[in-house]
Amino acid sequence: MVKHPIAESEITRAIVKYALRDLDEYSKVDVLIVGAGPSGMTAAYYLAKAGLKTLILERRFSFGGGIGGAANHLLRIVVEYPASEILSEVGVRLYEYGDGLFVVDPAEMIAKLASRAIDAGAKFLLGVHVDDVVFRDNPPRITGVAVIWSTVQMAGVHTDPIFLEAKAVVDATGHDAEVVAVASRKTPELGIKLYGEKSAYVDAAEDLVVKYTGKVVDGLYVTGMAVAAVHGLPRMGPIFGSMLLSGKRVAELIISDLKG
Ligand code: 48H
């Protein structure tokens, strides 16, 4: 039973109580993923499923990254075998086209990847922009990220960030590899080099992105399109198999590094 009249101040107190509890609880996690696109959400699903405390930070107020824009606004995307198995696992319906290619509804893919990651235990924070990393030397490594609210970042006003710590940070920010880029630019002693994404070559890109998925420096891993940016690999357009396989691969590597 709702107690009437509902006091405005109680709504505020309820929000503050749980929002601050979240920041307290998730200020230090096992794995912190930046970006809730296909690779980040797939990684979050497998990491959380393996029992790792997993936080995913997304600067928009929505999930999905590049999935929703689909193929030049034609509202379908393509996934090939065996990445299609990942979508089957999370309950996304596949429409067989032939030659191992499947057509997928992007809205269904966004909803089901996000919901399965959350059900597995991953925590999403939306509207959070990652603008820097936290590092240590001797040995050089990444130990966390600096965040500000996206609205503050968009307003162009300066505020100092807050810091979140993690045993592993995953750059799943897509084409610009924003986390690796800032680490490389601001902390050259980490020895990180960005080669920049190449033009389209679908068949090569799909294999190479998965192959090069992994650790960039201790504590920092890369998945999805950010792999192409870091390692100078071709793009692949609206076929999403490598994004899913890369998310799964980065999760497997981190699970092995953290749990042995
Ligand atoms: C917080 C951030 C920040 C930040 C970015 O672009 P995405 O969908 O990334 P992937 O790699 O999982 O998938 C790429 C795919 O969508 C794609 O673009 C393909 C396959 N292109 C091929 C081609 O040839 O063009 O998602 C990245 C997410 C987005 O939601 C961003 O808003 C978010 O990361 N993000 N979040 N802090 N600094 N930077």
Side-chain angles (χ1 to χ4, degrees), residues 29-30 33 44 49 71 87 124-126 130 140 152 168 192 207 221 237:
V29 294
D30 292 321
I33 299 167
K49 205 170 148 199
L87 292 182
F124 285 65
L125 291 182
L126 302 177
V130 171
V152 170
I192 302 171
D207 281 345
Y221 298 75

Side-chain angles (χ1 to χ4, degrees), residues 221-239:
Y221 298 75
V222 67
T223 183
M225 259 342 263
V227 177
V230 173
H231 294 284
L233 310 177
R235 67 187 298 191
M236 71 297 288
I239 182 163

Side-chain angles (χ1 to χ4, degrees), residues 35 38-39 58-59 65-66 128 130 172 174-175 178 225 235-237 243:
S39 65
E58 168 55 52
R59 72 174 162 208
V128 178
V130 171
H175 291 269
E178 293 196 16
M225 259 342 263
R235 67 187 298 191
M236 71 297 288
M243 300 298 109

